[in-house]
């Protein structure tokens, strides 16, 4: 008998297994528990930091099959990055358990994003016989809040804002039942024990009504604007078919032109409004549920008040039970815009929301589940059959990516469209989109988000990376921190952000087009051609400098930019800028002659602003890049012609002369050529001259890899034109998909540069 027992123990094995990746908040421990029971594996599983650790015993063959199962076919929301396996002395466990979590300050950290409501939870919410019927906070291991409610790791209820709610006996039973899909669901709750809704007036007075959701639907149908608290913050909502309500929202929010996003009832409603291809439909229906930019199909008058002067509209589907419930009436589409005043951050705390949004919203539908970190809706589009992130936020953040540094680094990003990145243990972590740091409240949230991510990761940054422009608020914030400082030139960071995304290390040709960024010569860059690596770059070409008058005001008033360009060409400004009064034009030209409040710029973004002004599309903007965006939206894609252009060379640098391009535009304006044709010819010219510059640089420097980056490449037509030309030239080319091409990607590039520099050191 003893001999058999000894033999049995010898044939069994014990292993400690550490699995790192997106393995918390995804139902991984319950999945492992159930697979262990099925496979007769003994031991335990536990959250350890942001990893999952198993101590398992069983027959060697059985353990192998068990590990293959849990690693090769984990829950849908999980992503496994790293596995460690250690053999240990056999102990003789009698069963398998889920043990209490523990922290691990030194381990790899992976933080899950918020996830849209799953079909099973939605079925319960809409089932009149279910205990969670119409319960707005229904969730399970496959869906619900994650990052927005997380205070610290590991992802356990007591480390989230759900710690404020004690589970009732029924929810406790679900939580502890290994056969239930809510087994170890951290935000688990029901109407008896979980968060609840309140409906308030815009002065904070409670509205007494039995069915608050039905009352909210009634208010929306009556044309009221309702501030609705969601997963990551507040939305301002109104009926998308009520033009008066939309106009009121624009007026109150001081947002006269910037597009609004739509939330529609279902995919069928989306198809009524927009042309949707298979890839776009898949993204719309994904568990991330971003805003997707789609081609308009509905009647012009319906969508133009929502997205004026645009060919596309941003559409998303419901992603919380509350959203689904708002569509139980006759409304099929709601304007759902960020709950903020113009240029301010999204509101996420109840008392501040009422204070800041009370002049905009008529009513507030709030709940008492705190949001720890506010997260905007993500925005994506499909370009060349690929998903391209415009704004990386809810569902897509924090974004974890490999980076070749073992140092603890913090990269602070740009000033507008700000994000930041942290790094440790060969991984980088990109924050959600935060906004313009010049807004006081945005800067406050930026600081809080940095502190939160550093605490989650257990990080003590030794290297602080910031923009080369010391006047940026992100650069000034770097000076308040301890650690080694590294300043990274803005456009180099753009280039490297694309290299990091595509795992490029060897030299590339970097084409970086944007609006503003301080160059190493003290001038404003933005039409740049580099040859370089992650560590360093050489500027080998650029758009010829133009002297622009007006400082930051010029960016807000494109007519100043147009006047500056035309004045340099000795062309009569008043001949084309007829809508601008003569006194204003004279003031700018005199300031140009005296070099007063002027700056030299090679920015392609400013050249787009110039042409938009010359065509009288936009003389004053009300949101970032409005003039250039509207210029793209009027172009006729059937036009193939382009204007003449000149490429010169000075001090070894190729230079694109803007004068010949603008002369072509001006001649067409004199001939009264339709603006749609002029816009197309201008776009084609920028694409054509860019391709010729790349060809010349490729031949001179013997580099075949090309990366395209910078905010101008938000322009889908220009990006596609250049990509098509690079294919014909047999170039290896790369553009942004998962990391935004605009300034939101700067922090990733800064991190890439710092990692390369430190790696050499």
């Amino acid at each position: 008998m003893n001999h058999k027992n000894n033999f049995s123990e010898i044939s069994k094995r014990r292993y400690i297994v550490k699995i790192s990746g997106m393995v918390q908040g995804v139902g991984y421990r319950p999945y492992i528990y159930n697979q262990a029971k099925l496979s007769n594996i003994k031991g335990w599983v536990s959250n350890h930091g942001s990893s999952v650790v198993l101590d398992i015993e069983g027959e060697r063959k059985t353990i192998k099959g068990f590990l293959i199962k849990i690693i090769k076919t984990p829950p849908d929301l999980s992503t496994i990055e790293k596995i460690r396996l250690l053999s240990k002395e056999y102990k003789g466990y009698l069963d398998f358990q889920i043990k209490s979590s523990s922290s691990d300050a030194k381990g790899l950290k992976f933080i899950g994003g918020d996830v849209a409501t799953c079909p099973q939870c939605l079925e319960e919410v809409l089932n009149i016989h279910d205990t969670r019927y119409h319960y707005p906070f229904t969730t399970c291991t496959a869906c619900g809040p994650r990052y927005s409610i997380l205070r610290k790791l590991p992802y356990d209820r007591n480390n989230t804002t759900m710690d404020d709610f004690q589970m009732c006996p029924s929810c406790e039973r679900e939580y502890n039942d290994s056969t239930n899909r809510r087994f170890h669901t951290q935000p688990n709750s029901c109407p008896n024990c979980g968060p609840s809704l309140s409906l308030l007036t815009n002065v904070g007075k409670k509205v007494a009504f039995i069915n608050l959701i039905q009352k909210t639907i009634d208010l929306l149908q009556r044309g009221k604007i309702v501030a609705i608290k969601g997963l990551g913050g507040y939305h301002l909502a109104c009926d998308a078919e009520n033009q008066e309500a939309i106009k009121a929202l624009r007026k109150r929010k001081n947002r006269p032109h910037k597009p609004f996003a739509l939330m529609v009832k279902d995919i069928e409603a989306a198809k009524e409004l927009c042309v949707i291809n298979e890839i776009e439909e898949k993204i719309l229906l994904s568990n991330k549920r971003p805003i997707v930019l789609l081609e308009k199909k509905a009647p012009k008058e319906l969508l133009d008040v929502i997205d004026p002067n645009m060919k596309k509209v941003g559409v998303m589907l419901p992603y919380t039970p509350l959203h689904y419930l708002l569509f139980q009436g006759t409304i099929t589409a709601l304007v759902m815009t960020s709950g903020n005043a113009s240029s301010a951050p999204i509101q996420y705390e109840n008392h501040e929301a009422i204070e800041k949004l009370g002049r905009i919203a008529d009513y507030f539908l709030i709940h008492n589940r705190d949001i720890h970190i506010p997260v905007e809706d993500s925005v994506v589009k499909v370009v060349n059959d690929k998903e391209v992130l415009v704004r990386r936020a809810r569902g897509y953040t924090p974004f974890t990516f490999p980076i070749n540094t073992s140092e603890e680094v913090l990269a602070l990003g740009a000033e507008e469209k700000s994000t930041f990145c942290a790094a440790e243990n060969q991984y980088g972590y990109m924050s959600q989109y935060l906004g313009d740091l010049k807004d006081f409240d945005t800067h406050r949230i930026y600081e809080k988000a940095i502190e939160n991510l550093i605490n989650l990761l257990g990080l003590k940054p030794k290297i602080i990376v910031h923009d080369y422009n010391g006047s940026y608020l992100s650069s000034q914030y770097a000076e308040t921190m301890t650690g080694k400082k590294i300043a990274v030139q803005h456009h180099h960071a753009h280039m490297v952000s694309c290299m990091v995304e595509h795992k490029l290390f060897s030299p590339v040709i970097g084409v970086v087009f944007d609006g503003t960024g301080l160059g190493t010569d003290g001038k404003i860059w933005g039409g740049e051609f580099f040859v370089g690596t992650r560590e360093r770059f050489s500027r080998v070409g650029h758009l010829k400098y133009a002297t622009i008058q007006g400082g930051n005001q010029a960016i807000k008033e494109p007519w100043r930019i147009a006047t500056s360009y035309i004045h340099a060409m000795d062309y009569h400004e008043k001949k084309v800028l007829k809508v601008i009064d003569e006194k204003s034009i004279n003031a700018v030209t005199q300031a140009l002659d005296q070099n007063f409040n002027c700056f030299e710029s090679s920015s392609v973004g400013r050249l787009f602003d110039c042409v938009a002004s010359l065509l009288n599309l936009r003389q004053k903007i009300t949101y970032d890049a409005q003039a250039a965006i509207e210029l793209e939206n009027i172009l006729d894609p059937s036009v193939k012609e382009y204007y003449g252009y000149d490429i010169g060379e000075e001090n070894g640098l190729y230079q694109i002369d803007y004068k010949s391009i603008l002369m072509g535009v001006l001649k067409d304006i004199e001939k009264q050529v339709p603006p749609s044709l002029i816009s197309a010819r201008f776009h084609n010219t920028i694409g054509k001259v860019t391709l010729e510059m790349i060809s010349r640089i490729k031949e001179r420097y013997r580099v075949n890899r090309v990366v395209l980056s910078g905010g101008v490449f938000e322009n889908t037509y220009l990006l596609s034109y250049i990509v098509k030309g690079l294919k014909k030239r047999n170039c290896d080319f790369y553009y942004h998909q998962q990391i935004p091409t605009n300034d939101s990607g700067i922090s990733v590039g800064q991190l890439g540069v710092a990692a390369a520099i430190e790696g050499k050191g």
Side-chain angles (χ1 to χ4, degrees):
M1 184 71 68
N2 288 338
H3 176 76
K4 286 183 179 178
N5 283 342
N6 290 338
F7 179 80
S8 177
E9 288 185 9
I10 291 170
S11 68
K12 292 187 176 181
R13 297 286 187 272
R14 176 183 171 219
Y15 296 97
I16 301 291
V17 185
K18 185 173 184 179
I19 304 174
S20 301
M22 203 65 68
V23 292
Q24 291 187 16
V26 295
Y28 200 36
R29 285 179 302 163
Y31 175 74
I32 288 171
Y33 175 90
N34 287 313
Q35 291 301 321
K37 290 289 187 182
L38 288 172
S39 303
N40 197 30
I41 297 293
K42 310 298 183 185
W44 53 263
V45 62
S46 172
N47 278 342
H48 194 57
S50 67
S51 300
V52 165
V53 173
L54 297 80
D55 188 342
I56 55 174
E57 291 182 340
E59 298 287 344
R60 185 173 180 178
K61 185 177 179 180
T62 305
I63 287 177
K64 182 179 178 182
F66 165 73
L67 290 176
I68 288 172
K69 178 74 174 176
I70 66 169
I71 291 166
K72 295 292 186 184
T73 58
D76 289 342
L77 299 180
S78 58
T79 305
I80 294 171
E81 295 283 343
K82 191 174 182 180
I83 303 158
R84 288 183 61 195
L85 186 72
L86 292 175
S87 178
K88 292 287 185 178
E89 184 180 344
Y90 184 76
K91 253 187 173 182
Y93 288 117
L94 298 177
D95 59 8
F96 194 88
Q97 299 177 349
I98 296 180
K99 285 180 61 174
S100 299
S101 303
S102 63
S103 62
D104 178 13
K106 295 182 179 179
L108 291 174
K109 309 294 194 304
F110 294 88
I111 305 163
D114 302 303
V115 185
T117 302
C118 70
Q120 292 92 332
C121 282
L122 179 59
E123 186 178 344
E124 291 174 339
V125 170
L126 301 180
N127 182 356
I128 196 170
H129 302 294
D130 196 279
T131 56
R132 288 186 172 83
Y133 176 63
H134 277 201
Y135 182 56
F137 307 97
T138 301
T139 185
C140 70
T141 54
C143 65
R146 300 290 191 273
Y147 178 57
S148 60
I149 63 170
L150 185 62
R151 291 185 175 123
K152 62 180 181 178
L153 290 170
Y155 178 69
D156 288 330
R157 191 182 182 97
N158 63 310
N159 291 333
T160 73
T161 60
M162 281 299 293
D163 189 40
D164 299 337
F165 303 93
Q166 179 67 42
M167 279 188 283
C168 66
S170 175
C171 288
E172 282 273 15
R173 282 194 295 273
E174 290 176 328
Y175 185 87
N176 293 310
D177 180 2
S178 64
T179 65
N180 193 293
R181 79 174 199 283
R182 293 193 171 92
F183 184 39
H184 278 250
T185 295
Q186 304 310 324
N188 192 29
S189 66
C190 74
N192 297 321
C193 64
S196 58
L197 295 174
S198 297
L199 184 63
L200 310 175
T201 66
N202 58 3
V203 293
K205 184 179 178 181
K206 276 198 173 185
V207 176
F209 207 82
I210 295 174
N211 190 334
L212 296 182
I213 292 172
Q214 185 55 54
K215 180 63 176 177
T216 303
I217 293 171
D218 293 342
L219 291 169
L220 291 165
Q221 288 174 328
R222 284 166 43 200
K224 301 298 182 182
I225 297 166
V226 183
I228 299 170
K229 187 177 181 182
L231 261 184
Y234 276 83
H235 284 110
L236 289 164
C238 68
D239 185 349
E241 293 191 28
N242 188 323
Q243 295 204 10
E244 293 307 311
I246 297 170
K247 289 174 183 176
L249 178 56
R250 286 201 176 280
K251 184 176 180 180
R252 295 181 198 177
K253 199 177 178 182
N254 190 24
R255 187 169 169 169
H257 307 115
K258 191 174 182 180
F260 285 142
L262 284 178
M263 180 178 282
V264 298
K265 182 175 183 177
D266 50 33
I267 192 66
E268 286 72 28
K271 289 178 178 178
E272 287 291 318
L273 297 173
C274 304
V275 178
I276 302 175
N277 65 32
E278 188 177 331
I279 300 169
E280 291 164 339
E281 181 172 348
K282 185 178 179 181
I283 297 169
L284 280 168
L285 292 168
S286 73
N287 59 26
K288 292 181 173 66
R289 292 292 166 99
I291 297 169
V292 184
L293 301 179
L294 302 169
E295 184 184 341
K296 295 178 182 178
K297 185 172 75 174
K300 191 177 190 302
E301 61 275 9
L302 173 64
L303 292 181
D304 271 9
V305 70
I306 295 166
D307 263 18
N309 304 318
M310 296 290 152
K311 291 179 179 178
K312 293 191 174 186
V313 62
V315 176
M316 60 181 158
L317 297 181
Y319 57 85
T320 71
L322 177 57
H323 294 146
Y324 284 103
L325 294 173
L326 291 173
F327 290 105
Q328 293 303 292
T330 58
I331 292 176
T332 59
L334 290 169
V335 166
M336 278 279 197
T337 186
S338 299
N340 56 5
S342 181
S343 79
I346 188 171
Q347 295 299 320
Y348 67 102
E349 294 178 321
N350 293 341
H351 65 283
E352 282 200 10
I354 293 168
E355 179 187 335
K356 298 286 177 67
L357 303 179
R359 293 187 184 90
I360 303 174
D362 299 306
Y363 291 89
F364 287 78
L365 184 62
I366 73 172
H367 60 72
N368 57 349
R369 183 180 70 203
D370 286 344
I371 296 167
H372 185 59
I373 287 294
V375 187
E376 293 257 23
D377 293 314
S378 293
V379 180
V380 310
K381 59 185 176 181
V382 173
V383 180
N384 299 326
D385 296 330
K386 296 183 186 299
E387 179 186 53
V388 171
L389 269 290
V390 176
R391 184 168 74 193
R392 192 169 193 110
R394 175 187 52 77
Y396 290 84
T397 53
F399 177 49
T400 306
F401 55 93
I403 192 77
N404 55 327
T405 180
S406 55
E407 297 287 349
E408 296 186 350
V409 185
L410 179 64
L412 294 171
E415 186 169 75
E416 295 184 350
K417 298 182 176 65
S418 65
T419 63
F420 61 88
C421 279
E424 65 166 356
N425 295 326
Q426 305 292 318
Y427 279 92
Y429 304 84
M430 180 185 178
S431 77
Q432 72 273 31
Y433 164 92
L434 292 159
D436 186 349
L437 296 183
K438 291 191 290 293
D439 179 271
F440 175 80
D441 289 334
T442 303
H443 200 288
R444 181 170 55 85
I445 290 173
Y446 171 79
E447 291 182 10
K448 179 183 177 182
I450 289 173
E451 182 182 356
N452 186 65
L453 189 60
I454 285 175
N455 289 340
L456 285 175
L457 298 173
L459 212 64
K460 294 180 180 177
K462 296 177 178 61
I463 299 170
I464 312 297
V465 201
H466 60 88
D467 196 276
Y468 180 75
N469 189 339
S471 69
Y472 276 5
L473 291 175
S474 52
S475 299
Q476 292 176 21
Y477 183 64
E479 294 306 313
T480 68
M481 308 187 79
T482 57
K484 178 181 177 181
K485 309 294 194 306
I486 297 177
V488 177
Q489 199 280 324
H490 189 86
H491 302 95
H492 186 209
H494 267 306
M495 181 182 88
V496 175
S497 68
C498 193
M499 295 179 72
V500 169
E501 176 176 349
H502 294 287
K503 301 179 176 62
L504 304 176
F505 292 92
S506 57
V508 300
I509 298 170
V511 182
V512 187
F513 291 169
D514 69 356
T516 300
L518 183 63
T520 56
D521 58 1
K523 299 175 182 178
I524 302 302
W525 292 2
E528 310 309 310
F529 295 82
F530 294 160
V531 170
T533 61
R534 297 188 183 198
E535 185 183 2
R536 61 174 60 91
F537 70 94
S538 296
R539 189 188 193 208
V540 298
H542 62 88
L543 181 67
K544 193 172 184 178
Y545 286 122
T547 300
I548 295 174
Q549 197 282 328
N552 287 332
Q553 193 63 26
I555 298 170
K556 297 176 183 177
E557 298 181 348
W559 69 267
R560 292 177 181 270
I561 298 169
T563 301
S564 299
Y565 273 100
I566 299 305
H567 189 67
M569 297 169 62
D570 294 325
Y571 194 91
H572 202 289
E573 299 90 353
K574 302 178 193 67
K575 193 173 181 181
V576 282
L577 295 170
K578 296 175 183 177
V579 297
I580 306 300
D581 65 274
E582 190 171 331
K583 185 178 178 182
S584 296
I585 291 176
N586 287 340
V588 170
T589 56
Q590 288 171 21
L592 284 164
D593 291 337
Q594 296 168 18
N595 198 28
F596 174 74
N597 194 21
C598 296
F599 61 93
E600 289 189 78
S601 172
S602 62
S603 167
V604 169
R606 297 291 81 86
L607 186 60
F608 271 77
D609 289 342
C610 169
V611 175
S613 171
L614 294 175
L615 294 179
N616 198 27
L617 292 177
R618 187 62 53 190
Q619 304 300 353
K620 293 184 180 181
I621 66 168
T622 61
Y623 64 89
D624 183 49
Q626 181 182 4
I629 290 168
E630 292 182 352
L631 182 63
E632 179 191 3
N633 275 271
I634 68 161
L635 71 80
D636 181 348
S638 68
V639 174
K640 305 304 177 188
E641 299 95 348
Y642 55 90
Y643 298 117
Y645 57 83
D646 294 312
I647 298 175
E649 189 172 344
E650 188 174 318
N651 298 323
L653 288 178
Y654 292 120
Q655 292 189 21
I656 301 169
D657 191 344
Y658 60 82
K659 291 181 181 178
S660 54
I661 299 172
L662 287 182
M663 191 54 70
V665 171
L666 292 167
K667 286 179 179 177
D668 271 358
I669 291 172
E670 287 179 9
K671 296 175 187 174
Q672 297 185 329
V673 173
S676 60
L677 270 67
I678 296 174
S679 175
R681 288 170 181 168
F682 172 71
H683 276 80
N684 293 343
T685 308
I686 299 300
K688 192 84 172 172
V689 72
T690 300
L691 289 167
E692 183 164 335
M693 285 282 283
I694 291 169
S695 294
R696 292 190 187 192
I697 294 166
K698 175 185 172 183
E699 184 176 347
R700 175 178 287 185
Y701 294 94
R702 303 299 179 192
V703 177
N704 194 52
R705 284 183 166 179
V706 181
V707 302
L708 308 172
S709 189
V712 169
F713 285 113
E714 293 283 12
N715 187 313
T716 301
Y717 180 88
L718 180 64
L719 176 63
S720 298
Y721 187 102
I722 293 172
V723 164
K724 186 177 179 181
L726 290 173
K727 285 180 181 177
K728 290 180 179 177
R729 287 162 174 77
N730 295 317
C731 290
D732 297 328
F733 61 89
Y734 305 87
Y735 58 91
H736 291 271
Q737 292 157 42
Q738 293 303 301
I739 295 171
T741 193
N742 56 45
D743 275 10
S744 289
I746 286 288
S747 61
V748 176
Q750 290 173 344
L751 185 60
V753 173
I757 291 172
E758 289 305 305
K760 297 288 184 182

